[in-house]
Amino acid sequence: MGVVHILQTQSQMIAARAGRPIQLVAVSARDRGKDRGADLSAYDWEDSTSMLAAHNDIDLLVEVMGGEGGAALEAVETALGQGRHVVTANKALMARHGTALARHAEQHHVALRFEAGVAGGIPIVKALTEGMAANRMTRILGVLNGTCNYILTEMERTGGAYADILAEAQRLGYAEADPTFDVGGFDAAQKLALLTATAFSTQVDYGGIAVEGIDRVTLTDIRYAGEMGYRIKLLGIAHRTDAGVEQRMQPCLVPSDSALGQLDSVSNMVVLEGDPIGRTVYQGPGAGAGATASAVVADIIDIARGLVIPAFGVPASTLGKPVRAEGAVPAPYYLRLSVADRPGTLARVADALGRAGISIDRMRQTQHVEAMAPVLIVTHACLRSDLDTALADIEALDVSAGAPVAYRIEPL
Ligand SMILES: NC(=O)c1ccc[n+]([C@@H]2O[C@H](COP(=O)([O-])OP(=O)(O)OC[C@H]3O[C@@H](n4cnc5c(N)ncnc54)[C@H](OP(=O)(O)O)[C@@H]3O)[C@@H](O)[C@H]2O)c1
């Protein structure tokens, strides 16, 4: 209803900016009788969204129903096939069918826009396709899920455990009853897939993202990371190297004094790095009716102005096949080991790391818990595959009490 509200209350401003009036003609949803907090009586009601998409009097369809296929896909395909522009907030649909839908739109000479599907109200697709169009992008970093950022921020602030803060987020309406899609990293990964395609002119490759959520992040690591000058964020990273594009969605450490490290609560942030500009940073609300409607209506205004550019910034037929380069980019790591407090233990740990070619930047032993001593290590940059070899060796040591914890430290 956010979109209807803006179109109803800001019609003059929008007409001035678009260069012509924008008229809402028809609407559809599942339940016609539902109170939506807006008067829809002036518009045609269509019983199905494909009928809405085929409505004779429309130039543009706004799809905000959600779902990676089904009615949403049918409505969008119908609209594009009949030469109507489409604005969608549906990242699931675009992450799954974005490349094909972009082709479909171009074949019919219409626009397909999805700004609201990525980082809510932050105009990041527009930044990539327009403002940054002169740059060769190299890396994207994003906090793309407000629920996860809220949970991590609140764990740190209140000292609460993950499960308790998740329950609080559900009570406040920040997290769904089934939070898997958010806390598992999948929602943010869909957004990352769309950013990657747009930034690097490749076909959308959601399946190429290594996805890990925040459900195993503990207060212990949040605290230790903080003491060492870092904060833990669920970070989406797409990095272009000569080997291809590495896409990851995982909890990472970022410096506490960086822009990403200072991002609290439900906000989203995207950092773009490109040549020649260097680094640019974008922050704003990632969800909610106002943020979503802001992005949807901006897309509508662009189309009304006559701006019809390819969905991912270049013609869909020229989008490159994704070349996956998982694990290609070295990084420093934060390690937390639980080892017996015996002479020679640290030397054996250092030896296991050294045999894998990994050197230690910083090491700290914290207060003992019975006969065990938590050891914190920050490594110099290394490949994850080498680290995994070393961690397996460390876990197999007779002084080791359980699996080591490892988080990537994303350089900023
Ligand atoms: N919520 C956000 O902050 C946000 C931010 C960015 C993007 N998005 C995206 O926006 C989309 C919608 O999310 P939402 O949170 O607004 O969901 P929502 O509150 O459940 O709204 C979905 C709307 O679509 C209608 N709908 C669903 N399935 C339909 C069908 N088969 N036929 C006709 N109408 C159907 C629903 O109708 P009824 O009301 O009659 O059930 C409802 O009006 C999703 O793709 C989501 O990823 C949401």
Side-chain angles (χ1 to χ4, degrees):
M1 278 307 115
V3 174
V4 173
H5 180 74
I6 299 186
L7 293 178
Q8 285 179 341
T9 58
Q10 303 293 346
S11 58
Q12 279 190 349
M13 178 191 81
I14 288 168
R17 290 182 181 167
R20 52 170 148 157
I22 295 184
Q23 206 184 338
L24 186 52
V25 174
V27 292
S28 178
R30 279 178 296 216
D31 177 1
R32 187 170 187 177
K34 194 164 162 182
D35 179 6
R36 298 173 193 280
D39 181 6
L40 301 178
S41 58
Y43 318 122
D44 291 349
W45 175 271
E46 293 291 355
D47 285 330
S48 84
T49 46
S50 353
M51 283 161 72
L52 179 70
H55 193 291
N56 275 336
D57 298 335
I58 67 165
D59 302 309
L60 182 153
L61 174 77
V62 175
E63 186 278 302
V64 284
M65 67 182 111
E68 64 174 36
L73 179 62
E74 198 184 328
V76 169
E77 282 181 334
T78 301
L80 296 175
Q82 297 192 9
R84 300 190 167 96
H85 307 287
V86 170
V87 173
T88 178
N90 189 340
K91 61 234 159 203
L93 176 78
M94 290 300 291
R96 177 90 192 269
H97 301 286
T99 309
L101 290 174
R103 265 195 214 111
H104 200 37
E106 285 161 36
Q107 278 157 6
H108 293 275
H109 311 291
V110 287
L112 168 65
R113 309 274 300 229
F114 58 91
E115 186 70 79
V118 188
I122 304 175
I124 195 66
V125 177
K126 197 170 179 67
L128 279 167
T129 53
E130 296 180 47
M132 293 293 138
N135 287 270
R136 184 175 191 278
M137 305 315 295
T138 50
R139 186 168 69 147
I140 307 164
L141 304 163
V143 168
L144 298 169
N145 184 280
T147 307
C148 291
N149 205 49
Y150 171 82
I151 292 172
L152 293 174
T153 308
E154 285 299 290
M155 283 173 73
E156 183 181 7
R157 192 181 67 80
T158 65
Y162 169 80
D164 296 335
I165 303 295
L166 171 60
E168 176 69 0
Q170 286 169 320
R171 199 184 59 74
L172 291 170
Y174 292 155
E176 303 283 339
D178 176 2
T180 319
F181 196 58
D182 286 323
V183 299
F186 306 107
D187 164 87
Q190 289 177 341
K191 299 168 187 169
L192 179 67
L194 300 177
L195 284 178
T196 304
T198 313
F200 303 138
S201 303
T202 54
Q203 296 169 7
V204 184
D205 185 24
Y206 174 67
I209 304 179
V211 185
E212 186 188 326
I214 61 163
D215 38 341
R216 283 183 295 169
V217 175
T218 63
L219 192 54
T220 305
D221 288 307
I222 290 178
R223 291 241 163 97
Y224 284 149
E227 286 170 19
M228 297 182 89
Y230 300 105
R231 291 181 87 193
I232 301 182
K233 296 284 165 195
L234 178 66
L235 214 56
I237 302 164
H239 204 135
R240 171 151 71 180
T241 65
D242 291 343
V245 175
E246 179 175 23
Q247 295 188 93
R248 280 176 289 111
M249 178 59 61
Q250 61 186 186
C252 290
L253 270 59
V254 294
S256 303
D257 59 0
S258 63
L260 279 166
Q262 290 178 15
L263 185 73
D264 285 333
S265 197
V266 292
S267 288
N268 281 198
M269 182 176 282
V270 182
V271 177
L272 301 179
E273 290 177 354
D275 181 44
I277 191 164
R279 183 178 295 161
T280 55
V281 180
Y282 309 80
Q283 179 182 354
T292 309
S294 165
V296 166
V297 176
D299 276 348
I300 296 174
I301 291 172
D302 266 356
I303 293 168
R305 284 169 169 160
L307 187 68
V308 178
I309 56 176
F312 297 101
V314 299
S317 58
T318 70
L319 290 169
K321 281 215 178 316
V323 178
R324 296 177 183 176
E326 196 179 333
V329 183
Y333 282 84
Y334 155 97
L335 310 179
R336 176 168 58 84
L337 315 175
S338 200
V339 288
D341 186 19
R342 279 193 229 144
T345 296
L346 292 184
R348 293 171 74 190
V349 167
D351 181 53
L353 288 167
R355 273 183 279 121
I358 299 167
S359 57
I360 295 172
D361 179 25
R362 281 189 281 160
M363 184 176 329
R364 251 188 72 191
Q365 199 167 15
T366 67
Q367 69 275 36
H368 299 191
V369 181
E370 295 173 354
M372 306 309 290
V375 173
L376 307 178
I377 293 174
V378 172
T379 71
H380 283 294
C382 63
L383 290 178
R384 179 72 208 211
S385 52
D386 293 336
L387 182 69
D388 286 341
T389 305
L391 293 181
D393 287 350
I394 291 169
E395 193 176 351
L397 294 175
D398 57 6
V399 290
S400 177
V405 172
Y407 287 114
R408 185 183 172 97
I409 301 174
E410 194 59 30
L412 277 165

